[in-house]
Structure formats: C-alpha cells, structure tokens
Amino acid sequence: MTAVLRSVNVGGPTTIGTRRGRPVGSGIVKAPVDGRVRVEGVNLAGDVQVDRRVHGGPDKAVYAYAGEDRAWWAGELGREMPPGMFGENLSTEGVDCTGAVIGERWRIGSVLLEVCQPRLPCFKLGLRFGDPQMLRRFAQASRPGAYLRILEEGELGAGDAVEVLDRPEHGVTVATVSDALLLDPALRPRAAQAPELPRELREMLQFGVG
C-alpha cells in the first residue's frame, strides 16, 4: 500500500469536560482542513496546544496517528472514529506510526519530519472519549501514534505521499518506548538506546523515573 496523508487536522482551545468541578480546556479536539497547511516553528498553522507543559514544543510539534489504528479502535469501542479523534494533526494510511523507529525521517509535501517519541495518555484523553478507563485501554492497546519534530518547514496537505527517507539501525520503535514506560519496565534499557529520544524521556528510561 502506498503511504499517504489522508487528512490534516487542526483545532483551537475547547472545553472538553470538567475535573474536580472545574472546566477543562484542551486542544485535543481537531478536525480536517482543506488545502495546503503551513508547518513551521513548533506546530501547524491554525493549530493550538493549550497546555505546553505536556503538549507541543519542538519534540511534540506534530502528532501522527494511523487510520488503521483508528479503525481498530472503532471496532474495539463500537463507535465512529473520525480523523482527529485522538488529537492527531496527521491522519495517515499505509504508515505504521506506532511501529516507526525513533529517529525515522518522513518527507510529506515540502516538510521534513523526524519521529521522536510516543504519545503518552493523560486524563484529557478520557474526557475526550467520555470514558475514564480510556487511559488504561490506550496504554494496554500499545497503539500510541508518533510525535514528530519539524526538521524542515514547508507545506503539506491531504493526498500527499508519506516517504520514509531514513530509518536508524538501532530499531527502537515508538511502541518499544511506549511499552517500556507504560507496560513493561524491563524494556527500558532497550528503549533508552535510541539517541534521538528527547533528553528528558531518555533519562526517564535510563534512571527509572516516571
């Protein structure tokens, strides 16, 4: 199957529920947009990350999630899973986002991106799905999707090919890192071998923090 970008999804601040009696704002609600989208700095044009402590920044600039994984969730949960449901900016087809190697580089349109870490679930994912068990389910499913760095700014759009230009030989995948942090601490030494991981995340793996 040809790897392709099926949709580009952006969104602004939205109240997604309450926690301890207070409204919770988030940028997790995203929807497809038409046309070419500029990718520069630490995000996509028109997109907002509300809580920069845990989302956004150079090492979480763009979030990609595979359409195949959304389809799996649709069957698992018995509900529709439109593009952007997981807060992803890029909805792909034919790309194993979770099986991508840390440091793998993708060319989409005129943009060059580098896979750098998995998405780790927070309580806002539970609010988005109206299910407090979603955090546990997301971790156990081992389908986290990939955060990417922006190496070369440019434009991309739905229908663009996703070309894998380079794949590091260490073989540490997004799933390996996610599972090491959420499911199996025995995987941490192996996961920490990926030099392209963000420093803080690599230290978590090396020193058993988190």
Side-chain angles (χ1 to χ4, degrees):
M1 179 186 295
T2 301
V4 65
L5 179 61
R6 285 302 182 197
S7 70
V8 182
N9 316 301
V10 303
T14 304
T15 299
I16 58 171
T18 60
R19 191 185 195 201
R20 299 183 183 130
R22 296 183 178 181
V24 175
S26 175
I28 196 173
V29 179
K30 302 187 189 300
V33 293
D34 295 327
R36 312 298 292 170
V37 179
R38 183 73 183 169
V39 180
E40 61 184 1
V42 293
N43 59 5
L44 282 68
D47 194 49
V48 175
Q49 295 113 357
V50 172
D51 189 349
R52 286 292 180 89
R53 295 171 302 170
V54 293
H55 300 292
D59 295 324
K60 294 182 178 179
V62 180
Y63 180 43
Y65 205 73
E68 294 85 350
D69 285 335
R70 281 191 296 105
W72 182 88
W73 280 110
E76 184 75 7
L77 301 179
R79 58 185 290 184
E80 292 187 5
M81 292 286 157
M85 187 66 191
F86 286 86
E88 74 271 20
N89 301 112
L90 309 180
S91 297
T92 66
E93 182 178 339
V95 184
D96 188 356
C97 298
T98 293
V101 173
I102 302 296
E104 188 171 301
R105 294 186 174 186
W106 299 353
R107 173 72 70 184
I108 311 176
S110 59
V111 181
L112 182 63
L113 302 167
E114 183 178 82
V115 175
C116 59
Q117 63 183 306
R119 189 254 189 84
L120 301 178
C122 71
F123 76 95
K124 292 182 180 180
L125 187 67
L127 290 177
R128 169 69 164 141
F129 278 80
D131 179 5
Q133 298 301 313
M134 191 60 192
L135 279 72
R136 177 184 58 81
R137 288 179 169 179
F138 190 80
Q140 292 178 341
S142 191
R143 297 169 183 264
Y147 273 118
L148 305 108
R149 300 182 180 102
I150 301 170
L151 298 185
E152 293 180 8
E153 299 177 345
E155 294 183 348
L156 46 69
D160 285 350
V162 181
E163 183 181 3
V164 179
L165 300 182
D166 180 67
R167 181 172 286 136
E169 294 183 357
H170 57 70
V172 176
T173 66
V174 171
T176 303
V177 177
S178 178
D179 291 350
L181 291 168
L182 301 176
L183 298 176
D184 186 359
L187 293 173
R188 291 188 174 193
R190 167 68 176 140
Q193 292 176 10
E196 300 87 355
L197 284 169
R199 179 179 57 82
E200 296 83 357
L201 189 55
R202 192 167 61 252
E203 290 177 352
M204 286 174 61
L205 292 163
Q206 290 173 329
F207 303 112
V209 179

